[in-house]
Amino acid sequence: RLARLQVLWELKDKEQAKAVMASLENPVLAEMTPYQLEILAELHLQNKDYAQAQQYYSHLVQTITEKTPVATRTSYYTRLAETQKEQGDDPGALQTLQSAWQATHEPDLLLNALQMAMDTHQPEQANDLLKQVAQQEQLFEMNGRYWLLRGQLAIQQKQPEQAREYYQHLLLVENK
């Protein structure tokens, strides 16, 4: 059934894939490939079954190795945090992203954490994250998303002149 699920996913037949997913009875995670786990996690996300999606993403995070592509690592951690956030665990979601950043030093993970801190109105956390950015500034100085988030945070903190500077820097970075 897992192979059928995978084929249906590849064919973009999500309705049939959901039907196959529903017929699976307690699949053994250890017997599944990361791709199959990812399919199930995504299907559960689409069904808004965040607890089950979280279980799959938690398992996927445990499969990460040095050889796992950066985009895949970032995706697994980010999706795990999203499932936590959807279940009302904003602090846990933020902690997942911060831990992922500390483990991998992937800039997108820290930016995702910064975005989440802003979205969940945690300005103290956002400022703490910015301090971490300052320690690794070379990773972020040419990243347009970083400057966009800095500008948005400055607006949230009612610092329009600072926001203008950040947005001007964003324009410079985007035009290079």
Side-chain angles (χ1 to χ4, degrees):
R1 287 191 198 151
L2 287 173
R4 183 165 188 239
L5 175 70
Q6 193 168 330
V7 168
L8 291 169
W9 183 261
E10 291 291 329
L11 294 173
K12 299 192 185 323
D13 189 346
K14 292 181 181 176
E15 292 307 312
Q16 286 293 326
K18 286 179 184 179
V20 171
M21 177 189 71
S23 73
L24 294 173
E25 293 181 25
N26 300 320
V28 179
L29 298 180
E31 294 175 5
M32 300 172 70
T33 68
Y35 186 61
Q36 291 167 336
L37 286 165
E38 194 172 340
I39 291 169
L40 285 171
E42 286 298 315
L43 288 170
H44 282 286
L45 273 179
Q46 290 173 11
N47 285 342
K48 298 186 185 319
D49 182 357
Y50 301 115
Q52 191 64 47
Q54 181 179 347
Q55 179 185 354
Y56 290 124
Y57 277 113
S58 292
H59 191 75
L60 280 166
V61 162
Q62 294 171 15
T63 69
I64 292 174
T65 67
E66 292 282 325
K67 294 179 183 176
T68 304
V70 170
T72 302
R73 278 187 244 178
T74 301
S75 173
Y76 290 171
Y77 281 116
T78 300
R79 295 301 243 178
L80 175 58
E82 287 172 9
T83 63
Q84 292 169 304
K85 184 176 184 276
E86 289 294 337
Q87 295 177 84
D89 185 8
D90 293 345
L94 197 52
Q95 182 59 47
T96 292
L97 291 171
Q98 287 177 300
S99 297
W101 155 252
Q102 290 166 352
T104 65
H105 293 285
E106 300 301 336
D108 282 339
L109 290 167
L110 188 59
L111 293 177
N112 291 347
L114 180 58
Q115 180 74 59
M116 186 168 291
M118 291 169 52
D119 291 347
T120 58
H121 305 288
Q122 298 180 61
E124 302 83 24
Q125 291 290 71
N127 286 324
D128 288 346
L129 292 166
L130 287 175
K131 289 175 187 172
Q132 292 180 41
V133 168
Q135 296 170 0
Q136 302 279 328
E137 200 163 45
Q138 72 279 3
L139 294 175
F140 299 93
E141 60 190 12
M142 296 306 294
N143 187 314
R145 183 172 172 221
Y146 166 69
W147 295 107
L148 177 65
L149 290 172
R150 291 292 309 257
Q152 291 171 342
L153 184 61
I155 287 173
Q156 277 186 2
Q157 295 175 341
K158 302 192 182 341
Q159 300 171 343
E161 291 303 317
Q162 189 67 51
R164 184 183 343 268
E165 287 180 37
Y166 293 140
Y167 288 141
Q168 287 174 340
H169 199 92
L170 167 64
L171 292 173
L172 290 173
V173 167
E174 293 293 317
N175 287 327
K176 286 190 177 185

mmCIF file of all heavy atoms in Angstrom, residues 138-166:
data_model
loop_
_atom_site.group_PDB
_atom_site.id
_atom_site.type_symbol
_atom_site.label_atom_id
_atom_site.label_comp_id
_atom_site.label_asym_id
_atom_site.label_seq_id
_atom_site.Cartn_x
_atom_site.Cartn_y
_atom_site.Cartn_z
ATOM 1 N N GLN A 138 27.667 37.544 8.641
ATOM 2 C CA GLN A 138 28.109 37.286 7.264
ATOM 3 C C GLN A 138 27.164 36.323 6.542
ATOM 4 O O GLN A 138 27.072 36.342 5.319
ATOM 5 C CB GLN A 138 29.558 36.769 7.230
ATOM 6 C CG GLN A 138 29.755 35.352 7.716
ATOM 7 C CD GLN A 138 29.812 35.204 9.239
ATOM 8 O OE1 GLN A 138 29.642 36.174 9.971
ATOM 9 N NE2 GLN A 138 30.042 34.002 9.703
ATOM 10 N N LEU A 139 26.431 35.495 7.295
ATOM 11 C CA LEU A 139 25.479 34.567 6.673
ATOM 12 C C LEU A 139 24.213 35.273 6.200
ATOM 13 O O LEU A 139 23.469 34.733 5.386
ATOM 14 C CB LEU A 139 25.079 33.462 7.661
ATOM 15 C CG LEU A 139 26.157 32.482 8.090
ATOM 16 C CD1 LEU A 139 25.612 31.536 9.156
ATOM 17 C CD2 LEU A 139 26.676 31.697 6.892
ATOM 18 N N PHE A 140 23.960 36.467 6.715
ATOM 19 C CA PHE A 140 22.681 37.126 6.487
ATOM 20 C C PHE A 140 22.761 38.430 5.712
ATOM 21 O O PHE A 140 21.752 38.879 5.176
ATOM 22 C CB PHE A 140 21.995 37.399 7.842
ATOM 23 C CG PHE A 140 21.700 36.155 8.612
ATOM 24 C CD1 PHE A 140 22.606 35.682 9.552
ATOM 25 C CD2 PHE A 140 20.546 35.435 8.382
ATOM 26 C CE1 PHE A 140 22.344 34.519 10.260
ATOM 27 C CE2 PHE A 140 20.273 34.278 9.085
ATOM 28 C CZ PHE A 140 21.172 33.808 10.021
ATOM 29 N N GLU A 141 23.932 39.054 5.648
ATOM 30 C CA GLU A 141 24.008 40.414 5.119
ATOM 31 C C GLU A 141 23.550 40.540 3.666
ATOM 32 O O GLU A 141 23.073 41.596 3.260
ATOM 33 C CB GLU A 141 25.403 41.004 5.310
ATOM 34 C CG GLU A 141 26.493 40.232 4.632
ATOM 35 C CD GLU A 141 27.875 40.710 5.046
ATOM 36 O OE1 GLU A 141 28.000 41.468 6.015
ATOM 37 O OE2 GLU A 141 28.828 40.304 4.375
ATOM 38 N N MET A 142 23.613 39.469 2.884
ATOM 39 C CA MET A 142 23.167 39.524 1.487
ATOM 40 C C MET A 142 21.836 38.786 1.283
ATOM 41 O O MET A 142 21.457 38.483 0.159
ATOM 42 C CB MET A 142 24.240 38.940 0.566
ATOM 43 C CG MET A 142 25.539 39.724 0.572
ATOM 44 S SD MET A 142 25.340 41.495 0.207
ATOM 45 C CE MET A 142 24.802 41.439 -1.481
ATOM 46 N N ASN A 143 21.124 38.544 2.369
ATOM 47 C CA ASN A 143 19.860 37.823 2.317
ATOM 48 C C ASN A 143 18.709 38.833 2.391
ATOM 49 O O ASN A 143 18.489 39.464 3.420
ATOM 50 C CB ASN A 143 19.798 36.835 3.494
ATOM 51 C CG ASN A 143 18.598 35.933 3.438
ATOM 52 O OD1 ASN A 143 17.485 36.377 3.205
ATOM 53 N ND2 ASN A 143 18.825 34.661 3.662
ATOM 54 N N GLY A 144 17.979 38.971 1.300
ATOM 55 C CA GLY A 144 16.887 39.936 1.244
ATOM 56 C C GLY A 144 15.810 39.682 2.287
ATOM 57 O O GLY A 144 15.249 40.621 2.866
ATOM 58 N N ARG A 145 15.522 38.423 2.537
ATOM 59 C CA ARG A 145 14.487 38.096 3.527
ATOM 60 C C ARG A 145 14.875 38.606 4.922
ATOM 61 O O ARG A 145 14.023 39.057 5.679
ATOM 62 C CB ARG A 145 14.265 36.579 3.548
ATOM 63 C CG ARG A 145 13.160 36.165 4.479
ATOM 64 C CD ARG A 145 12.844 34.686 4.318
ATOM 65 N NE ARG A 145 11.927 34.290 5.358
ATOM 66 C CZ ARG A 145 12.014 33.154 6.017
ATOM 67 N NH1 ARG A 145 12.958 32.286 5.719
ATOM 68 N NH2 ARG A 145 11.147 32.864 6.954
ATOM 69 N N TYR A 146 16.151 38.547 5.231
ATOM 70 C CA TYR A 146 16.628 39.049 6.517
ATOM 71 C C TYR A 146 16.294 40.532 6.670
ATOM 72 O O TYR A 146 15.760 40.970 7.689
ATOM 73 C CB TYR A 146 18.132 38.810 6.650
ATOM 74 C CG TYR A 146 18.780 39.572 7.776
ATOM 75 C CD1 TYR A 146 18.504 39.254 9.098
ATOM 76 C CD2 TYR A 146 19.661 40.620 7.522
ATOM 77 C CE1 TYR A 146 19.090 39.969 10.142
ATOM 78 C CE2 TYR A 146 20.250 41.324 8.549
ATOM 79 C CZ TYR A 146 19.965 40.992 9.851
ATOM 80 O OH TYR A 146 20.536 41.699 10.869
ATOM 81 N N TRP A 147 16.606 41.319 5.635
ATOM 82 C CA TRP A 147 16.367 42.758 5.715
ATOM 83 C C TRP A 147 14.870 43.066 5.723
ATOM 84 O O TRP A 147 14.432 44.005 6.398
ATOM 85 C CB TRP A 147 17.094 43.475 4.587
ATOM 86 C CG TRP A 147 18.569 43.336 4.751
ATOM 87 C CD1 TRP A 147 19.409 42.546 4.012
ATOM 88 C CD2 TRP A 147 19.378 43.934 5.763
ATOM 89 N NE1 TRP A 147 20.687 42.629 4.505
ATOM 90 C CE2 TRP A 147 20.701 43.477 5.573
ATOM 91 C CE3 TRP A 147 19.122 44.817 6.805
ATOM 92 C CZ2 TRP A 147 21.750 43.872 6.386
ATOM 93 C CZ3 TRP A 147 20.162 45.221 7.623
ATOM 94 C CH2 TRP A 147 21.462 44.752 7.411
ATOM 95 N N LEU A 148 14.090 42.272 5.016
ATOM 96 C CA LEU A 148 12.642 42.438 5.045
ATOM 97 C C LEU A 148 12.096 42.200 6.459
ATOM 98 O O LEU A 148 11.302 43.002 6.976
ATOM 99 C CB LEU A 148 11.980 41.469 4.062
ATOM 100 C CG LEU A 148 10.452 41.482 4.032
ATOM 101 C CD1 LEU A 148 9.939 42.821 3.537
ATOM 102 C CD2 LEU A 148 9.951 40.349 3.145
ATOM 103 N N LEU A 149 12.543 41.131 7.092
ATOM 104 C CA LEU A 149 12.097 40.826 8.450
ATOM 105 C C LEU A 149 12.555 41.900 9.440
ATOM 106 O O LEU A 149 11.805 42.282 10.342
ATOM 107 C CB LEU A 149 12.591 39.448 8.880
ATOM 108 C CG LEU A 149 11.943 38.270 8.165
ATOM 109 C CD1 LEU A 149 12.642 36.962 8.526
ATOM 110 C CD2 LEU A 149 10.461 38.190 8.477
ATOM 111 N N ARG A 150 13.778 42.381 9.263
ATOM 112 C CA ARG A 150 14.262 43.461 10.148
ATOM 113 C C ARG A 150 13.364 44.692 10.011
ATOM 114 O O ARG A 150 13.014 45.325 11.001
ATOM 115 C CB ARG A 150 15.704 43.852 9.802
ATOM 116 C CG ARG A 150 16.777 42.845 10.109
ATOM 117 C CD ARG A 150 17.035 42.597 11.573
ATOM 118 N NE ARG A 150 17.249 43.747 12.411
ATOM 119 C CZ ARG A 150 18.420 44.176 12.870
ATOM 120 N NH1 ARG A 150 19.528 43.549 12.520
ATOM 121 N NH2 ARG A 150 18.484 45.208 13.676
ATOM 122 N N GLY A 151 12.995 45.020 8.777
ATOM 123 C CA GLY A 151 12.103 46.153 8.555
ATOM 124 C C GLY A 151 10.740 45.939 9.186
ATOM 125 O O GLY A 151 10.187 46.839 9.828
ATOM 126 N N GLN A 152 10.185 44.752 9.024
ATOM 127 C CA GLN A 152 8.884 44.454 9.617
ATOM 128 C C GLN A 152 8.940 44.520 11.140
ATOM 129 O O GLN A 152 8.013 45.036 11.781
ATOM 130 C CB GLN A 152 8.404 43.069 9.160
ATOM 131 C CG GLN A 152 8.044 43.022 7.699
ATOM 132 C CD GLN A 152 7.771 41.612 7.213
ATOM 133 O OE1 GLN A 152 8.152 40.617 7.831
ATOM 134 N NE2 GLN A 152 7.100 41.517 6.072
ATOM 135 N N LEU A 153 10.016 44.014 11.716
ATOM 136 C CA LEU A 153 10.162 44.057 13.168
ATOM 137 C C LEU A 153 10.290 45.504 13.654
ATOM 138 O O LEU A 153 9.695 45.878 14.667
ATOM 139 C CB LEU A 153 11.369 43.231 13.619
ATOM 140 C CG LEU A 153 11.571 43.119 15.132
ATOM 141 C CD1 LEU A 153 10.377 42.453 15.803
ATOM 142 C CD2 LEU A 153 12.843 42.332 15.434
ATOM 143 N N ALA A 154 11.031 46.307 12.919
ATOM 144 C CA ALA A 154 11.168 47.723 13.294
ATOM 145 C C ALA A 154 9.802 48.417 13.262
ATOM 146 O O ALA A 154 9.493 49.231 14.143
ATOM 147 C CB ALA A 154 12.163 48.430 12.374
ATOM 148 N N ILE A 155 8.978 48.070 12.285
ATOM 149 C CA ILE A 155 7.632 48.648 12.230
ATOM 150 C C ILE A 155 6.812 48.185 13.431
ATOM 151 O O ILE A 155 6.136 48.990 14.072
ATOM 152 C CB ILE A 155 6.944 48.300 10.899
ATOM 153 C CG1 ILE A 155 7.578 49.134 9.784
ATOM 154 C CG2 ILE A 155 5.436 48.540 10.976
ATOM 155 C CD1 ILE A 155 7.114 48.786 8.401
ATOM 156 N N GLN A 156 6.894 46.891 13.747
ATOM 157 C CA GLN A 156 6.177 46.382 14.925
ATOM 158 C C GLN A 156 6.610 47.106 16.189
ATOM 159 O O GLN A 156 5.813 47.330 17.091
ATOM 160 C CB GLN A 156 6.429 44.876 15.111
ATOM 161 C CG GLN A 156 5.565 43.986 14.289
ATOM 162 C CD GLN A 156 5.781 42.507 14.633
ATOM 163 O OE1 GLN A 156 6.549 42.150 15.520
ATOM 164 N NE2 GLN A 156 5.096 41.644 13.895
ATOM 165 N N GLN A 157 7.880 47.463 16.240
ATOM 166 C CA GLN A 157 8.422 48.123 17.426
ATOM 167 C C GLN A 157 8.330 49.649 17.326
ATOM 168 O O GLN A 157 8.959 50.354 18.102
ATOM 169 C CB GLN A 157 9.868 47.666 17.655
ATOM 170 C CG GLN A 157 9.945 46.201 17.979
ATOM 171 C CD GLN A 157 11.370 45.675 18.104
ATOM 172 O OE1 GLN A 157 12.330 46.282 17.628
ATOM 173 N NE2 GLN A 157 11.505 44.531 18.745
ATOM 174 N N LYS A 158 7.543 50.105 16.331
ATOM 175 C CA LYS A 158 7.290 51.540 16.140
ATOM 176 C C LYS A 158 8.576 52.346 15.960
ATOM 177 O O LYS A 158 8.788 53.382 16.591
ATOM 178 C CB LYS A 158 6.435 52.091 17.280
ATOM 179 C CG LYS A 158 5.098 51.369 17.407
ATOM 180 C CD LYS A 158 4.145 52.057 18.316
ATOM 181 C CE LYS A 158 2.834 51.368 18.522
ATOM 182 N NZ LYS A 158 2.331 50.404 17.669
ATOM 183 N N GLN A 159 9.442 51.839 15.074
ATOM 184 C CA GLN A 159 10.695 52.503 14.731
ATOM 185 C C GLN A 159 10.739 52.729 13.214
ATOM 186 O O GLN A 159 11.471 52.049 12.492
ATOM 187 C CB GLN A 159 11.880 51.644 15.170
ATOM 188 C CG GLN A 159 11.933 51.371 16.650
ATOM 189 C CD GLN A 159 13.002 50.343 17.004
ATOM 190 O OE1 GLN A 159 13.494 49.604 16.154
ATOM 191 N NE2 GLN A 159 13.361 50.294 18.275
ATOM 192 N N PRO A 160 9.931 53.667 12.719
ATOM 193 C CA PRO A 160 9.807 53.833 11.258
ATOM 194 C C PRO A 160 11.107 54.225 10.552
ATOM 195 O O PRO A 160 11.348 53.779 9.425
ATOM 196 C CB PRO A 160 8.730 54.911 11.107
ATOM 197 C CG PRO A 160 8.701 55.620 12.419
ATOM 198 C CD PRO A 160 9.104 54.607 13.455
ATOM 199 N N GLU A 161 11.937 55.045 11.191
ATOM 200 C CA GLU A 161 13.192 55.446 10.545
ATOM 201 C C GLU A 161 14.133 54.248 10.392
ATOM 202 O O GLU A 161 14.780 54.089 9.352
ATOM 203 C CB GLU A 161 13.873 56.573 11.322
ATOM 204 C CG GLU A 161 13.125 57.894 11.263
ATOM 205 C CD GLU A 161 12.919 58.374 9.831
ATOM 206 O OE1 GLU A 161 13.861 58.296 9.014
ATOM 207 O OE2 GLU A 161 11.803 58.822 9.520
ATOM 208 N N GLN A 162 14.185 53.418 11.420
ATOM 209 C CA GLN A 162 15.008 52.215 11.357
ATOM 210 C C GLN A 162 14.464 51.275 10.282
ATOM 211 O O GLN A 162 15.221 50.693 9.516
ATOM 212 C CB GLN A 162 15.032 51.517 12.716
ATOM 213 C CG GLN A 162 16.020 50.389 12.804
ATOM 214 C CD GLN A 162 17.454 50.869 12.740
ATOM 215 O OE1 GLN A 162 17.852 51.759 13.469
ATOM 216 N NE2 GLN A 162 18.235 50.286 11.856
ATOM 217 N N ALA A 163 13.142 51.159 10.210
ATOM 218 C CA ALA A 163 12.508 50.304 9.190
ATOM 219 C C ALA A 163 12.884 50.788 7.789
ATOM 220 O O ALA A 163 13.211 49.977 6.914
ATOM 221 C CB ALA A 163 10.994 50.304 9.376
ATOM 222 N N ARG A 164 12.853 52.100 7.586
ATOM 223 C CA ARG A 164 13.207 52.653 6.283
ATOM 224 C C ARG A 164 14.640 52.261 5.895
ATOM 225 O O ARG A 164 14.906 51.873 4.763
ATOM 226 C CB ARG A 164 13.042 54.177 6.290
ATOM 227 C CG ARG A 164 13.292 54.795 4.933
ATOM 228 C CD ARG A 164 13.202 56.324 4.898
ATOM 229 N NE ARG A 164 12.543 56.968 5.995
ATOM 230 C CZ ARG A 164 11.231 57.289 6.036
ATOM 231 N NH1 ARG A 164 10.461 56.977 5.026
ATOM 232 N NH2 ARG A 164 10.719 57.908 7.092
ATOM 233 N N GLU A 165 15.557 52.340 6.860
ATOM 234 C CA GLU A 165 16.954 51.943 6.583
ATOM 235 C C GLU A 165 17.047 50.476 6.172
ATOM 236 O O GLU A 165 17.771 50.126 5.238
ATOM 237 C CB GLU A 165 17.822 52.196 7.818
ATOM 238 C CG GLU A 165 18.120 53.644 8.080
ATOM 239 C CD GLU A 165 18.987 53.828 9.315
ATOM 240 O OE1 GLU A 165 19.891 52.990 9.548
ATOM 241 O OE2 GLU A 165 18.750 54.808 10.037
ATOM 242 N N TYR A 166 16.326 49.630 6.898
ATOM 243 C CA TYR A 166 16.356 48.198 6.572
ATOM 244 C C TYR A 166 15.760 47.939 5.193
ATOM 245 O O TYR A 166 16.296 47.139 4.421
ATOM 246 C CB TYR A 166 15.624 47.377 7.625
ATOM 247 C CG TYR A 166 16.302 47.376 8.973
ATOM 248 C CD1 TYR A 166 15.560 47.467 10.138
ATOM 249 C CD2 TYR A 166 17.691 47.282 9.099
ATOM 250 C CE1 TYR A 166 16.165 47.456 11.386
ATOM 251 C CE2 TYR A 166 18.305 47.280 10.333
ATOM 252 C CZ TYR A 166 17.540 47.367 11.470
ATOM 253 O OH TYR A 166 18.145 47.356 12.698
#
